[in-house]
């Protein structure tokens, strides 16, 4: 995305004279946020980059924009792929430009990420525009394009309010000419090479991209005064971190491009809403963005500030404890059979990420000790004691200073034994029916793991009067913003979820109403 500054002055004579100030973009998320997130190559941590799955996942997670890369095929068609060669992200070999569209569309563009994506295909630009319409906005990074064809495809799809076209200045001018200035464009601004006034006079964009390290409040104000939106590009190890995000947010950028859209969105919302009305528990770690019950999933949840991180504990044949939900290795690892029939050394060699894919393919089934360490000093542990001796669990909790910074989920009988060993533990027994309230409350629990279907304002109020918190798993049908809002309005304490950004959106909307 870095272009030599000389290109900024290479505008062709046919460039349209009209400016693009105050361009009105489609708002995928209503009401819109002051700073919107651009997911670099889509949600590429959970699906192949630039794929329809990665792009539409942005809409599912209330991420406003997906950045995608556009190139030309041998027969002059637009294909969505970052690299100029095929090897990294398809089963093909050679240069993209040496194949026609029909040949490229036959390639497997998903197995490199994970076997479950073997049917994924490279997208033509018209296919992408159709898929994204009304769902997510697109940052089109023009690696190699036909400006007139690009303009024609955007207008034919009626997507001119849902795209920003990024590229060299002379290419942008051709796009604008071909569309009668209806399609918004964006170029890179390098502060050390020219002034804002010089840049705007030469390029006349609807938006400007700044490297995140160059962003200042003064620059943002200068561009905003001219009706130009500002995008901070934080992609890369140097800039994609909370310190730089905070700098960009302080400067009031309009868009922030990142490889960590979940982290950026949580950081941005926590600035606006320092105290959430509900605590968030990440089910099996941040399992939407990394393989469940693995170190990457736990670390991801801790990084965006999950209040609780839920993990499942089971023993190996030789009595070592590891994190695994199922009693067998079949579903989430490349092993087979019950974990109790395999030794620790055997399980440790397995991958727990190959079915999930991406950069997590080599993630392992972690020992309990490593999982607890990965939670860090702030998040609380939600320990699902699937199959662990109470004394052994207590030993691990004490070793990690988690006796009063965790909850333990298990049966009433198990929790009674655990509490007899250590009165300070915080039991979380299941509450499946409202008429079980008194029986479950008798053990003095810290909270109830309440079945979502029995939640009510009356039950929550009764629990609070008894000094008991109410936790609940929002899964399946209940994994909706509207359901979250209802439960939060009733006073639920903790929502456990596979979709933390949906809970975050519910919190945002409720804050706006208050």
């Amino acid at each position: 995305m870095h272009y030599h500054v000389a290109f900024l002055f290479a505008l062709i004579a046919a460039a349209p004279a009209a400016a693009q100030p105050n361009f009105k973009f489609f708002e995928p998320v209503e009401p819109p946020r002051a700073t919107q997130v651009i997911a670099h190559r889509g949600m590429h941590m959970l699906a192949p980059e630039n794929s329809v799955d990665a792009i539409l996942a942005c809409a599912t997670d209330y991420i406003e924009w997906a950045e995608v890369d556009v190139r030309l095929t041998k027969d002059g068609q637009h294909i969505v792929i970052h690299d100029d060669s095929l090897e990294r992200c398809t089963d093909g070999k050679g240069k993209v430009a040496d194949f026609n569209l029909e040949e490229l569309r036959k390639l497997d563009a998903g197995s490199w990420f994970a076997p479950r994506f073997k049917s994924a295909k490279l997208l033509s630009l018209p296919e992408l525009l159709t898929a994204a319409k009304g769902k997510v906005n697109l940052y089109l990074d023009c690696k190699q394009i036909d400006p007139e064809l690009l303009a024609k495809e955007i207008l034919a799809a009626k997507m001119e309010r849902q795209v920003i076209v990024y590229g060299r200045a002379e290419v942008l001018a051709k796009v604008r000419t071909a569309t009668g200035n209806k399609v918004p464009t964006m170029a890179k601004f390098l502060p050390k090479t020219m002034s804002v006034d010089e840049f705007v006079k030469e390029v006349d964009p609807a938006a400007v991209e700044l490297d995140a390290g160059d962003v200042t409040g003064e620059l943002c104000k200068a561009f905003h005064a001219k009706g130009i939106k500002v995008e901070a590009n934080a992609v890369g190890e140097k800039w994609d971190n909370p310190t730089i995000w905070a700098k960009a947010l302080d400067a009031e950028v309009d868009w922030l491009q990142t490889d960590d859209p979940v982290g950026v969105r949580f950081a941005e919302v926590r600035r606006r809403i320092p105290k959430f009305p509900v605590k968030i528990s990440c089910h099996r770690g941040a399992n939407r963005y990394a393989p469940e019950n693995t170190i990457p999933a736990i670390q991801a949840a801790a990084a965006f500030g999950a209040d609780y991180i839920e993990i499942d504990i089971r023993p190996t044949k030789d009595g070592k404890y590891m994190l695994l939900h199922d009693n067998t290795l079949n579903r989430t690892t490349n092993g087979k059979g019950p974990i109790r029939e395999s030794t620790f050394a055997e399980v440790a060699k397995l991958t727990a990420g190959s079915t999930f894919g991406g950069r997590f393919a080599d993630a392992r089934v972690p020992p309990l000790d490593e999982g607890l360490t990965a939670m860090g000093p702030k998040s609380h542990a939600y320990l699902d004691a699937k199959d662990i001796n109470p004394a052994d669990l207590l030993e691990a909790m004490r070793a990690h200073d988690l006796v009063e910074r965790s909850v333990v989920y298990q049966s009433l009988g198990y929790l009674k034994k655990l509490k007899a060993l250590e009165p300070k533990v915080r039991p979380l027994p299941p509450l499946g029916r409202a008429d079980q309230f008194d029986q479950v409350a008798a053990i003095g629990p810290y909270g109830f793991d309440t079945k979502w279907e029995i939640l009510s304002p009356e039950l929550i109020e009764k629990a609070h009067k008894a000094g008991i918190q109410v936790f609940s798993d929002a899964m399946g049908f209940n994994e909706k913003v509207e359901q979250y809002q209802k439960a939060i309005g009733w006073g639920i304490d903790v929502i456990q979820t596979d979709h933390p950004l949906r809970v975050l959106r519910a919190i945002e909307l409720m804050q706006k109403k208050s």
Side-chain angles (χ1 to χ4, degrees):
M1 292 182 213
H2 291 77
Y3 299 100
H4 194 279
V5 70
F7 284 126
L8 297 176
F9 295 101
L11 298 176
I12 63 173
Q20 294 183 306
N22 301 307
F23 191 92
K24 300 299 182 184
F25 290 90
F26 172 73
E27 298 295 352
V29 177
E30 290 282 3
R33 293 134 164 172
T35 298
Q36 299 184 355
V37 175
I38 301 174
H40 184 227
R41 306 181 197 172
M43 300 292 280
H44 63 79
M45 70 295 294
L46 55 83
E49 65 179 57
N50 280 314
S51 69
V52 69
D53 291 294
I55 292 157
L56 294 186
C58 294
T60 302
D61 279 0
Y62 298 91
I63 299 297
E64 296 90 348
W65 290 80
E67 183 267 355
V68 298
D69 306 281
V70 185
R71 292 186 175 277
L72 281 174
T73 65
K74 182 179 181 179
D75 52 343
Q77 302 301 307
H78 287 128
I79 195 85
V80 180
I81 184 171
H82 176 271
D83 299 2
D84 65 356
S85 61
L86 297 167
E87 283 80 358
R88 184 174 64 87
C89 293
T90 78
D91 63 346
K93 294 182 179 180
K95 298 292 184 181
V96 174
D98 291 337
F99 295 86
N100 61 38
L101 180 61
E102 183 180 357
E103 291 169 331
L104 292 170
R105 292 283 290 133
K106 292 178 181 178
L107 298 176
D108 175 348
S111 291
W112 68 271
F113 187 93
R116 61 197 170 102
F117 289 106
K118 66 180 180 180
S119 62
K121 303 299 180 184
L122 295 177
L123 294 169
S124 69
L125 181 57
E127 287 174 322
L128 170 61
L129 294 171
T130 298
K133 189 174 179 63
K135 298 173 183 175
V136 59
N137 288 352
L138 301 173
Y139 169 134
L140 303 179
D141 187 350
C142 298
K143 298 297 187 187
Q144 181 195 15
I145 66 160
D146 176 334
E148 289 74 21
L149 177 60
L150 185 87
K152 179 181 178 181
E153 291 172 335
I154 293 171
L155 293 178
K158 297 183 179 179
M159 283 284 285
E160 55 267 32
R161 292 185 59 234
Q162 271 190 256
V163 301
I164 188 75
V165 178
Y166 176 84
R168 300 187 303 274
E170 73 273 21
V171 173
L172 301 182
K174 290 179 181 179
V175 170
R176 291 173 56 188
T177 298
T179 64
N181 216 33
K182 294 179 181 179
V183 171
T185 59
M186 176 169 68
K188 175 85 75 177
F189 176 64
L190 301 172
K192 295 180 180 180
T193 64
M194 66 178 70
S195 69
V196 170
D197 288 340
E198 290 172 328
F199 177 83
V200 173
K201 182 179 179 180
E202 297 292 338
V203 182
D204 206 8
V208 59
E209 177 171 284
L210 294 169
D211 288 333
D214 290 335
V215 171
T216 66
E218 291 73 22
L219 278 175
C220 289
K221 288 178 182 177
F223 281 113
H224 287 161
K226 297 178 181 295
I228 297 171
K229 291 189 177 294
V230 179
E231 179 241 337
N233 184 348
V235 174
E237 294 183 6
K238 183 178 180 181
W239 296 323
D240 222 354
N241 59 71
T243 300
I244 298 298
W245 301 339
K247 177 185 174 185
L249 294 170
D250 285 340
E252 300 183 352
V253 299
D254 300 281
W255 307 327
L256 203 164
Q257 184 178 175
T258 176
D259 279 318
D260 186 5
V262 184
V264 171
R265 183 48 69 205
F266 264 93
E268 185 274 325
V269 173
R270 288 189 187 280
R271 288 163 59 91
R272 287 189 282 121
I273 310 174
K275 184 174 176 57
F276 285 2
V278 67
K279 289 183 170 62
I280 299 174
S281 175
C282 284
H283 186 225
R284 306 177 197 172
N287 75 77
R288 177 163 171 77
Y289 310 107
E292 65 177 61
N293 276 313
T294 64
I295 298 302
I298 294 169
Q299 290 175 332
F304 63 70
D307 300 287
Y308 285 88
I309 302 174
E310 190 261 2
I311 56 174
D312 305 281
I313 309 166
R314 291 188 181 276
T316 60
K317 183 178 181 179
D318 45 353
K320 307 288 186 179
Y321 292 106
M322 306 188 84
L323 305 190
L324 190 75
H325 176 271
D326 302 359
N327 62 4
T328 71
L329 300 161
N330 302 20
R331 181 176 63 88
T332 58
T333 81
N334 60 337
K336 298 291 182 182
I339 186 172
R340 268 188 168 271
E341 294 180 7
S342 296
T343 66
F344 175 82
E346 290 169 339
V347 177
K349 293 177 182 178
L350 302 176
T351 170
S354 59
T355 56
F356 189 95
R359 65 180 184 273
F360 307 114
D362 293 329
R364 303 295 173 180
V365 180
L368 173 60
D369 181 70
E370 289 184 17
L372 297 179
T373 299
M375 291 191 183
K378 294 182 179 180
S379 294
H380 291 220
Y382 184 131
L383 305 173
D384 187 340
K386 284 277 192 279
D387 188 2
I388 180 171
N389 182 282
D392 292 340
L393 179 61
L394 183 59
E395 181 181 357
M397 292 167 67
R398 285 171 172 163
H400 290 269
D401 194 24
L402 285 173
V403 172
E404 297 181 78
R405 194 165 62 88
S406 64
V407 293
V408 180
Y409 172 82
Q410 242 285 8
S411 66
L412 283 177
Y414 182 97
L415 295 174
K416 287 178 181 178
K417 294 177 182 178
L418 186 64
K419 199 166 183 181
L421 294 173
E422 173 52 80
K424 291 182 180 180
V425 297
R426 305 197 298 185
L428 187 73
L431 182 67
R433 302 197 315 266
D435 61 9
Q436 295 174 329
F437 187 102
D438 292 339
Q439 174 190 356
V440 179
I443 71 165
Y446 178 80
F448 291 144
D449 178 60
T450 313
K451 190 175 181 179
W452 191 274
E453 287 71 19
I454 71 167
L455 287 174
S456 69
E458 294 77 20
L459 186 147
I460 293 173
E461 181 181 9
K462 183 178 180 181
H464 287 171
K465 284 183 178 179
I468 300 169
Q469 293 196 16
V470 178
F471 292 55
S472 192
D473 298 350
M475 306 298 177
F477 172 77
N478 303 305
E479 199 84 305
K480 298 179 181 178
V481 169
E482 296 77 13
Q483 296 289 82
Y484 301 147
Q485 288 178 299
K486 183 184 292 186
I488 294 169
W490 292 343
I492 191 171
D493 298 286
V494 181
I495 293 176
Q496 180 158 273
T497 180
D498 291 323
H499 294 273
L501 284 181
R502 294 187 196 175
V503 181
L504 192 71
R505 187 57 181 163
I507 291 170
E508 285 185 278
L509 292 173
M510 296 191 75
Q511 184 74 11
K512 287 181 181 292
K513 292 178 182 179
S514 62

